[in-house]
């Protein structure tokens, strides 16, 4: 019982600290006059370097959806709805969620490790000593960059996924091409697209905050120290980010539906 | 450069959580001189330096720099004070993602609105002072330990600080490179007589060559504070042993025997082809 209470207290304390950390990161965007170049570098690190993996996952995800959707819809004689099923599933749910999870693994873990190493090797202290706001220098550009990269990569994931569904549904299983695209056009509403983008923006803030926070507080870990602490912080950042993504997805989905 | 800065520690107690590292330390480091905090490894020298820099908050007591009580400062005052400080961290603490030149230029790039070319020129000038112009475009991971420390020193002095704090500038360096670092600090002191330099070290050779004043730490207490001459003149048994590098233990005890099970298993492993 005591352990449960301690766990809940620790979780609440961490959530509070991460929220304050997020606030300071946002404040850094406003306060820092020279954030542009670092933000562009982060957009490259988070966004451009993830394009290939996002396209790959998106394509196979669309193909699997096309295959599963076809064999489910054919039972009801509704294969013509395959385009709607694939596009709505991707745009509303899988696009934002899978993109965020992929970016957590690829870019988020790298953020935690990089900031964690900087923390244990006194680099963050060195920034503070030089009167350089370490939050504005390290966290704010990543927050801003993820707000740009996540929605764009989500859009890319959706488009490539729809193409993957096209390959399975139209080229391999013989659904009419016109019907496939007509159904997409007819069933996808602007609210679906905006809903997907809002989700990706929320996920961007969640993932970046969690990953940067874990890296920034590496030296405060009680379970380990030094390089082991960086490893543990990175693992925890990925796990917590994924849980946050799925929990936030449920909340946002129930809000949009 | 502005007026020289002195540092006063008054009944200072520092530590982490419930663990006390230093208790009731009182010492003065005069302005415009080179002072050194001496002590054994793990005695709390670097922890004390972190408190003087303002990266940690003491449990009790006062740290006064240039007449200002640092323990009662708000954030804005602390930032203003840090602008006049240069810090050389133990391993240089250079940002791994920036080149040596970018690292050294960082305080100027972040705080001044000057043309890039002028900042580059200035960074190269300071790199020249520590004889590192030829590695300006290298990344810190491509440098030796001594070079990283010198690059860290260049970054620390590029803003012409009134107070230069160095954490173990000669540790892990060969005697020649360590001597070179000592000469750098002495030259800096001669060129900028107003600059107060505080060095944390256990290197007695370095102390002999560069220091004017010292604080010696032992078992969480400041056991000596004064001039170099007073340090050498002291008859305190610990200081005498420290000076003469004579440990309390005259012979290391390796007489305990290995557990027979470990011994036989070790023999088996060593015999294994």
């Amino acid at each position: 019982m005591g352990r449960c209470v301690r766990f809940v207290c620790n979780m609440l304390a961490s959530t509070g600290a991460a929220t304050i950390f997020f606030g300071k990161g946002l404040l850094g965007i406003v306060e820092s006059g020279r954030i542009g170049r670092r933000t562009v570098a982060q957009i490259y690190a988070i966004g451009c370097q993830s394009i290939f993996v996002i396209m790959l996952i998106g394509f196979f995800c669309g193909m699997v959806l096309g295959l599963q959707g076809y064999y489910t819809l054919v039972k009801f004689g509704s294969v013509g709805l395959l385009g709607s099923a694939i596009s709505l599933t991707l745009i509303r749910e899988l696009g934002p969620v899978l993109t965020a999870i992929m970016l957590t693994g690829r870019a988020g873990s790298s953020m935690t490790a990089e900031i964690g190493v900087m923390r244990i090797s006194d680099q963050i202290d060195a920034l503070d000593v030089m009167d350089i706001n370490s939050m504005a220098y390290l966290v704010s550009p990543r927050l801003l960059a993820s707000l740009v990269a996540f929605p764009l990569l989500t859009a890319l994931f959706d488009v490539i996924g729809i193409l993957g569904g096209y390959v399975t549904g139209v080229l391999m299983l013989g659904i009419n091409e016109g019907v496939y695209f007509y159904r997409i056009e007819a069933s996808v509403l602007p609210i679906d697209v905006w809903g997907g983008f809002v989700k990706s923006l929320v996920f961007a803030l969640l993932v970046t905050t969690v990953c940067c926070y874990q890296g920034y507080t590496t030296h405060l870990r009680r379970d380990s120290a030094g390089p082991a602490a960086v490893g543990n912080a990175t693992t925890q950042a990925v796990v917590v980010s994924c849980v946050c993504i799925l929990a936030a997805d449920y909340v946002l989905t129930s809000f949009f539906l | 450069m502005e007026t020289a800065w002195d540092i006063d520690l008054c009944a200072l107690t520092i530590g982490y959580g419930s663990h006390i590292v230093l208790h009731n330390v009182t010492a003065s480091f005069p302005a415009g001189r080179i002072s050194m905090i001496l002590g054994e490894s793990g005695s709390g020298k670097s922890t004390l330096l972190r408190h003087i820099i303002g990266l940690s908050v003491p449990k009790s007591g006062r740290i006064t720099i240039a007449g200002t009580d640092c323990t009662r400062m708000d954030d804005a005052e602390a930032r203003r004070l840090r602008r006049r400080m240069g810090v050389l961290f133990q391993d240089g603490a250079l940002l791994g993602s920036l080149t040596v030149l970018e690292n050294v230029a960082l305080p100027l790039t972040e705080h001044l609105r000057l043309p890039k070319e002028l900042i580059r020129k200035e960074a190269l000038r300071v790199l020249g002072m520590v004889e590192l112009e030829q590695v300006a475009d290298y990344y810190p991971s491509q440098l030796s330990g001594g070079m990283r420390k010198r690059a860290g020193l260049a970054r620390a002095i590029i803003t012409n600080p009134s107070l230069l704090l160095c954490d173990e500038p000669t540790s892990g360096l060969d005697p020649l490179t360590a001597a070179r670092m000592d000469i750098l600090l002495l030259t800096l002191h001669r060129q900028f007589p107003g600059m107060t330099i505080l060095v944390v070290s256990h290197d007695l050779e370095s102390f002999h060559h560069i220091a004017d004043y010292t604080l010696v730490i032992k078992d969480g207490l400041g056991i000596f504070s004064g001039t170099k001459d007073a340090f050498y003149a002291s008859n305190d048994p610990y200081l005498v042993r420290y000076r003469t590098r004579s440990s309390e233990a005259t012979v290391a005890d390796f007489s305990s025997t290995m557990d027979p099970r470990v011994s036989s298993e070790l023999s088996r492993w060593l015999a294994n082809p």
Side-chain angles (χ1 to χ4, degrees), chain B residues 57-97:
Chain B
V57 180
K59 291 193 173 297
S60 65
R62 277 200 328 266
I63 299 170
T64 311
I65 299 177
T68 312
D69 184 355
C70 301
T71 51
R72 294 183 185 177
M73 276 180 183
D74 59 28
D75 274 358
E77 282 176 308
R79 287 180 61 187
R80 268 201 298 277
L81 189 79
R82 280 184 196 166
R83 282 178 199 169
R84 306 298 308 154
M85 283 185 190
V87 180
L88 164 59
F89 286 87
Q90 200 159 355
D91 194 35
L94 301 172
L95 271 62
S97 56

Side-chain angles (χ1 to χ4, degrees), chain A residues 31-34 37-38 114 118-119 121-123 125-133 137, chain B residues 50 53 55 79 82-83 87 89 93-96 98 106-113 155:
Chain A
E31 283 180 352
S32 176
R34 297 179 178 194
R37 202 162 57 93
R38 286 195 292 277
E114 189 181 340
M118 289 183 76
R119 172 56 83 186
S121 58
D122 291 334
Q123 292 177 42
D125 287 339
L127 285 174
D128 288 330
V129 165
M130 287 185 278
D131 192 25
I132 296 169
N133 182 344
Y137 189 88
Chain B
R50 286 183 65 84
I53 296 166
L55 292 171
R79 287 180 61 187
R82 280 184 196 166
R83 282 178 199 169
V87 180
F89 286 87
L94 301 172
L95 271 62
L98 303 181
L106 193 62
L108 305 187
T109 319
E110 289 298 312
H111 297 305
L112 309 183
R113 298 195 178 278
R155 186 178 67 185

